Amino acid sequence: MTDRPLTLMAVHAHPDDEATGTGGVLARYAAEGIRTVLVTCTDGGCGDGPGGVKPGDPGHDPAAVALMRRQELQESCDVLKVSDLEMLDYADSGMMGWPTNDAPGSFWQTPVQEGAARLAELMRHYRPDVVVTYDENGFYGHPDHIQAHRITMAALEMTELAPKVYWTTMPRSGMRRFGEIMREFHPDMPEPDPAEAAAMAEIGLPDDEISTWVDTTAFSGQKFDSLAAHASQGENIFFLKMGKERFGELMGVETFVRVQDTTDAAIPENDLFAGLR
């Protein structure tokens, strides 16, 4: 036995990513006395600037955006009661295909082993019992999400640790429900072209392939507030438009795929720490 607290480490790409897929578990486990460590890999400099100015447009200052988003990230962490925030501060690579993908110093251009070595150092320091990140496609193909996945899995190989490891996902049933709500709020939204619709249909997993369903309904208000803390990106955060009640209905369960485990906890499971307490 040890006095070291159980520890959850979530590895995310940008400021605000922590809220969308893991805000509920970060808040829930913090409330249960578990140490929660958030590692944010990039500075978010490819986000919207003041007034909604877009990357590449006149007046968009990535350094100023990064500073603003760091402050918003700290506010989000305060809302979620995150114990420890660690920032790797790589330059935001932007969406797939943007010129910023190729910029020197961008996360996408960073050698995986370099980023993994830095993350492995944090893992050795915090010794997480559970690690959460994205799948190999970064959930939807964002280069920084893919890179976060790569450095996380490589970092785990560099350490002697054997935590439970999870990748965030969404059930296909939930994705369909999300599409219905999108059309409810945007009735004039055009139907996606067939290629886009096919790509959307591949996001997430069939419900029966999801190993872990964590009920975070009681913490959906905190999750909503943590998203709202990222006010500069509000135009891009659709969930804020639906209000807290509808948000809680849609986002009250967070889902994961367990990809590494030494506990033999039965699946499907309803707790990332099943078998550890």
Side-chain angles (χ1 to χ4, degrees):
M1 297 296 290
T2 174
D3 291 334
R4 184 182 65 84
L6 286 171
T7 300
L8 165 66
M9 175 180 282
V11 183
H12 282 291
H14 312 98
D16 77 21
D17 289 334
E18 80 290 341
T20 308
T22 58
V25 293
L26 287 168
R28 170 180 162 167
Y29 290 124
E32 293 178 7
I34 287 171
R35 187 176 197 175
T36 53
V37 180
L38 171 63
V39 180
T40 301
C41 296
T42 80
D43 61 9
C46 285
D48 289 357
V53 62
K54 303 297 181 185
D57 287 350
H60 186 277
D61 180 351
V65 171
L67 177 60
M68 174 177 62
R69 297 194 71 185
R70 185 185 185 98
Q71 294 167 343
E72 292 175 340
L73 177 60
Q74 185 59 63
E75 183 180 342
S76 170
C77 288
D78 291 345
V79 169
L80 298 174
K81 310 300 183 187
V82 168
S83 309
D84 301 271
L85 170 62
E86 299 283 355
M87 296 195 70
L88 300 185
D89 268 334
Y90 290 107
D92 190 340
S93 310
M95 300 295 285
M96 191 67 82
W98 286 14
T100 44
N101 295 173
D102 302 319
S106 72
F107 191 37
W108 188 236
Q109 290 299 315
T110 299
V112 169
Q113 294 302 301
E114 176 190 319
R118 294 181 62 196
L119 182 57
E121 186 176 341
L122 292 174
M123 288 179 174
R124 294 187 191 102
H125 174 72
Y126 288 107
R127 305 188 67 81
D129 301 281
V130 172
V131 173
V132 176
T133 192
Y134 314 99
D135 63 19
E136 59 266 68
N137 190 46
F139 184 60
Y140 68 98
H142 193 296
D144 287 330
H145 291 221
I146 294 170
Q147 190 75 331
H149 163 86
R150 290 174 177 170
I151 74 162
T152 301
M153 302 313 291
L156 287 163
E157 291 183 2
M158 292 178 177
T159 74
E160 77 289 358
L161 305 173
K164 296 179 80 176
V165 180
Y166 294 89
W167 297 342
T168 57
T169 190
M170 278 282 286
R172 295 265 168 84
S173 61
M175 292 299 295
R176 288 192 294 272
R177 178 65 179 141
F178 177 65
E180 293 167 2
I181 291 177
M182 283 279 286
R183 285 188 288 275
E184 177 186 328
F185 279 83
H186 299 284
D188 56 348
M189 184 173 66
E191 289 294 324
D193 64 54
E196 185 180 340
M200 286 293 292
E202 293 300 312
I203 294 178
L205 288 172
D207 292 30
D208 61 1
E209 293 182 20
I210 293 174
S211 67
T212 311
W213 305 67
V214 183
D215 184 356
T216 60
T217 305
F219 303 93
S220 60
Q222 277 176 265
K223 181 172 177 173
F224 184 94
D225 289 343
S226 72
L227 274 170
H230 297 281
S232 68
Q233 310 306 305
E235 182 182 329
N236 304 316
I237 304 175
F238 165 77
F239 301 108
L240 295 176
K241 297 177 173 65
M242 63 179 66
K244 278 191 177 180
E245 184 174 346
R246 294 297 300 278
F247 177 85
E249 293 171 8
L250 182 66
M251 303 292 286
V253 175
E254 293 181 348
T255 49
F256 306 86
V257 175
R258 192 174 81 191
V259 295
Q260 179 175 303
D261 173 60
T262 58
T263 69
D264 294 325
I267 55 175
E269 60 187 1
N270 59 12
D271 179 9
L272 297 179
F273 288 86
L276 293 170
R277 56 178 177 170

